[in-house]
Amino acid sequence: MGTEFLLVMKSEMILTGIIFLLLILKVWDGIKSNTSLLYFVNILLLANFLWGFCCNTEGSLFNGMYQTNELIFLEKSILNLGTFIISLFAFDYLKENDNTLEFFILLLCTLLGMDFMISSGNFLMFYLGLELSSIPLAALCNYDLHKTKSSESAVKMILSSAFASCILLFGVSMLYGTTGTLNFSEMAPQLSTSKLQMLAFLFIFSGFAFKLSSVPFHLWTADVYEGAPAPVTAYLSVISKGSIVFIFITALYKVFPNFEHTWYHVLYLSILVTITVGNLFAIRQDNIKRFLAFSSIAQVGYIMLGISSTSIMGISAAIYFLIIYTFSNLGVFGVVSLVSSQTGKENINDFKGFYTNNKFASWVIAICLFSLAGIPPTAGFFGKMFLVTAGASKGDYLLVIVAVMNMVISLYYYLRLVKAIFIDNNDQPIASLKGSLPLRLALIICLAGVIATGFVSGLFEHITTLAGK
Amino acid sequence: MGVLMRRNAIIIFMCVELMLNAVNLLMVAFSKMFNDPSSQIFVFFIMVVAAAEVAVGLAIIVMMYRKVHSVDINILNRLKH
């Protein structure tokens, strides 16, 4: 123990510190301007992200309940970076809001929960982190207090997440009943694919599928995404989903290695439906947030394709793709939140002729959509390539063929949006929007990220070596 | 089952609580079987988290009630189209 203990848990410690600082600021009540407060919070988050790169100490605490290693530190850095970008986006949205501090307190509470969740080594810690990351999110969905849509999405969010965690807990209790321990590492060797354990695995898998919003548990996603404010939607679709993917990888590879045969089949079916349904439903959406919801369902399918390969390459491809997905999805959401916070328009048809008045924002959204679709010069291509290669290494070509065919379908609807922005004529295009400095900065970060992560080939190898340990 | 059948948001929450209670009972029974206290501690945490969840959930339901004057989830279909 001693100071080393502080360093091992440093990301949680710092987040807790920031949350307390914000709470004290709230009680102190001496803040005059919202803008300076937002700058202050953004600087804190930037510092939090940068601090994630130094003094990383591996270790395990509380009898293996809490453990970190280099890979987990990297995952936490991805989440921190995403949260930082989202807080930059939220600048325009929160400038006029009276409850700015609560927004960040809730946001950071969820981030704290995710940090605990991805470094958990025990189902108790995992469950607490999961709940800490999902309950405040429901409150965040309700953040547009005067809108009916917003509270409707919050009701759907809290009901489905409560139900999902019940199912998951039921599976955990069955696993406990058959093994007599809650620790991941002690539990794994005792699992022997008996009937009860199989059932427990299916319960746990469905709980995860709910949170990942993979088909057939995706029904809440589109509604929640549409009703929640744009920055919260971005958070839900990138950070919240990313953290679940990380812990899903840990759960499958550390707790259920003996079940590999079973979970490969379950995952196989789930991927087939998730990619197909996500893509087909995305075609017929008019609201841009619903459209992005279905596109993110499809992207989760690709991430699961990487996970299903049961190889180190698959894990690192999934994590690498998540970095790219963070940048490209956040870039799209940045433009969407700029438009919706200033004009209130969220329909794809409203984006017609967007290019005439907003050149820079149009290029950002176009390049990020190209990256999501996986067109070569952008990073999304490399991400998808690694994922599909990892999936193909297992030798199941049907899955790979379906995945690649779905990329063609996805190209159609991503390009439809690009066409609306650049080519379609509109009598009244959206006027020139003047985003604030932080928002433009965030768009530049996303754009740079989308282009750079594809070319920095060392990144993928770095992740592979970390995952191989 | 109640969660899937009922149409009243508050009753759905009660049913979620019932499911959690089932998990708690199972945990305590297994804990007795293994003579291992760790899952009894888990039960305490589940109870705490459930209380927090219901607090947030009821607050959200109150927000919804103020707008649509109902807690029937059939009304919640504005986001469908």
Side-chain angles (χ1 to χ4, degrees):
Chain A
M1 286 289 180
T3 48
E4 196 187 328
F5 148 78
L6 287 174
L7 275 182
V8 173
M9 291 185 75
K10 79 176 171 121
S11 37
E12 286 81 4
M13 288 290 175
I14 290 166
L15 273 179
T16 321
I18 295 177
I19 291 169
F20 275 114
L21 186 65
L22 294 183
L23 278 172
I24 292 167
L25 277 180
K26 180 72 192 171
V27 177
W28 178 49
D29 202 28
I31 300 143
K32 305 275 181 319
S33 102
N34 232 344
T35 323
S36 56
L37 175 69
L38 282 167
Y39 275 117
F40 176 64
V41 175
N42 280 331
I43 290 168
L44 278 183
L45 286 175
L46 177 64
N48 177 35
F49 166 63
L50 292 177
W51 175 240
F53 287 107
C54 77
C55 320
N56 287 343
T57 319
E58 299 191 4
S60 126
L61 295 169
F62 314 123
N63 289 328
M65 260 191 150
Y66 177 95
Q67 52 196 0
T68 57
N69 53 38
E70 287 290 328
L71 187 64
I72 289 174
F73 276 119
L74 178 77
E75 295 170 348
K76 284 178 183 168
S77 293
I78 300 172
L79 299 184
N80 284 338
L81 176 65
T83 315
F84 172 58
I85 296 177
I86 284 167
S87 86
L88 290 178
F89 286 153
F91 194 89
D92 278 27
Y93 171 69
L94 292 172
K95 226 169 15 186
E96 315 285 303
N97 203 310
D98 297 333
N99 305 322
T100 312
L101 270 174
E102 282 90 340
F103 182 87
F104 282 107
I105 293 170
L106 289 172
L107 197 74
L108 293 177
C109 277
T110 60
L111 187 63
L112 180 68
M114 288 164 196
D115 277 1
F116 272 121
M117 182 170 70
I118 56 183
S119 51
S120 60
N122 184 304
F123 272 112
L124 175 54
M125 192 62 125
F126 161 65
Y127 172 67
L128 290 179
L130 184 74
E131 290 297 314
L132 184 55
S133 69
S134 65
I135 297 175
L137 262 182
L140 276 178
C141 285
N142 202 356
Y143 213 71
D144 274 337
L145 290 174
H146 53 280
K147 282 192 190 155
T148 316
K149 269 185 171 184
S150 185
S151 44
E152 182 181 333
S153 86
V155 172
K156 285 180 177 166
M157 171 88 193
I158 189 103
L159 284 179
S160 55
S161 81
F163 185 61
S165 39
C166 276
I167 301 259
L168 201 141
L169 265 185
F170 205 64
V172 171
S173 68
M174 281 180 184
L175 276 191
Y176 177 74
T178 47
T179 59
T181 173
L182 285 167
N183 253 353
F184 288 173
S185 50
E186 288 169 28
M187 192 180 268
Q190 295 190 48
L191 295 178
S192 56
T193 61
S194 70
K195 288 268 159 42
L196 189 60
Q197 286 172 352
M198 206 79 100
L199 192 62
F201 168 72
L202 284 180
F203 272 124
I204 291 178
F205 184 83
S206 339
F208 271 118
F210 249 111
K211 303 270 173 190
L212 276 175
S213 68
S214 75
V215 181
F217 306 100
H218 66 292
L219 294 165
W220 59 278
T221 322
D223 289 357
V224 171
Y225 281 24
E226 188 189 342
V232 178
T233 315
Y235 192 80
L236 270 172
S237 80
V238 177
I239 314 294
S240 161
K241 201 161 271 185
S243 64
I244 300 283
V245 169
F246 294 142
I247 187 66
F248 190 49
I249 294 174
T250 316
L252 286 185
Y253 284 81
K254 284 205 180 129
V255 186
F256 296 109
N258 294 351
F259 275 53
E260 200 181 294
H261 195 64
T262 321
W263 64 249
Y264 178 70
H265 286 288
V266 179
L267 215 52
Y268 180 87
L269 286 177
S270 183
I271 292 165
L272 276 186
V273 229
T274 304
I275 297 183
T276 317
V277 171
N279 277 323
L280 291 182
F281 277 74
I283 292 178
R284 49 183 289 265
Q285 301 303 325
D286 290 327
N287 182 296
I288 191 156
K289 279 193 204 151
R290 280 183 92 82
F291 160 79
L292 285 170
F294 280 105
S295 107
S296 79
I297 292 175
Q299 305 283 353
V300 162
Y302 288 105
I303 294 173
M304 294 202 309
L305 177 65
I307 299 174
S308 77
S309 73
T310 62
S311 63
I312 286 163
M313 180 178 173
I315 304 176
S316 34
I319 293 171
Y320 180 66
F321 185 75
L322 259 172
I323 300 177
I324 298 162
Y325 174 73
T326 307
F327 283 125
S328 35
N329 220 15
L330 283 183
V332 179
F333 269 113
V335 179
V336 171
S337 89
L338 172 69
V339 174
S340 87
S341 70
Q342 299 207 356
T343 64
K345 290 177 176 170
E346 286 176 357
N347 217 308
I348 289 184
N349 288 333
D350 293 333
F351 277 82
K352 278 184 180 166
F354 187 60
Y355 181 65
T356 42
N357 290 329
N358 301 283
K359 299 266 189 300
F360 176 63
S362 306
W363 280 113
V364 172
I365 198 171
I367 291 174
C368 291
L369 285 172
F370 281 150
S371 171
L372 282 176
I375 292 176
T378 53
F381 167 72
F382 299 102
K384 285 226 168 114
M385 189 182 75
F386 286 133
L387 282 178
V388 172
T389 321
S393 67
K394 192 84 178 170
D396 243 321
Y397 292 111
L398 175 67
L399 196 58
V400 176
I401 290 168
V402 171
V404 173
M405 268 164 54
N406 270 294
M407 278 185 201
V408 182
I409 300 176
S410 72
L411 207 56
Y412 165 72
Y413 61 78
Y414 287 127
L415 289 186
R416 193 174 63 131
L417 187 55
V418 175
K419 172 173 163 281
I421 289 170
F422 282 89
I423 299 171
D424 285 357
N425 290 318
N426 192 344
D427 298 336
Q428 291 142 332
I430 295 172
S432 180
L433 300 173
K434 200 88 182 84
S436 57
L437 178 70
L439 199 137
R440 271 176 287 156
L441 183 67
L443 289 182
I444 292 169
I445 296 176
C446 289
L447 196 60
V450 165
I451 295 165
T453 26
F455 290 115
V456 185
S457 57
L459 185 62
F460 183 69
E461 282 151 24
H462 179 62
I463 299 172
T464 317
T465 39
L466 289 186
K469 275 182 196 166
Chain B
M1 266 289 110
V3 179
L4 304 177
M5 297 297 168
R6 292 307 193 109
R7 289 281 146 242
N8 183 317
I10 294 176
I11 296 191
I12 294 180
F13 254 106
M14 282 167 54
C15 296
V16 168
E17 292 296 298
L18 277 182
M19 287 169 69
L20 282 174
N21 281 346
V23 174
N24 284 352
L25 274 179
L26 207 57
M27 281 286 193
V28 173
F30 284 137
S31 152
K32 181 76 186 153
M33 185 175 108
F34 289 117
N35 271 330
D36 173 28
S38 71
S39 75
Q40 293 186 21
I41 294 163
F42 203 147
V43 167
F44 281 120
F45 278 105
I46 292 176
M47 280 168 9
V48 170
V49 169
E53 198 154 33
V54 164
V56 174
L58 286 181
I60 289 172
I61 289 175
V62 169
M63 286 298 299
M64 183 186 108
Y65 184 78
R66 283 191 191 155
K67 281 167 200 143
V68 296
H69 298 288
S70 164
V71 287
D72 191 333
I73 58 168
N74 282 333
I75 293 182
L76 297 182
N77 53 9
R78 269 153 227 247
L79 289 173
K80 275 283 148 61
H81 358 253

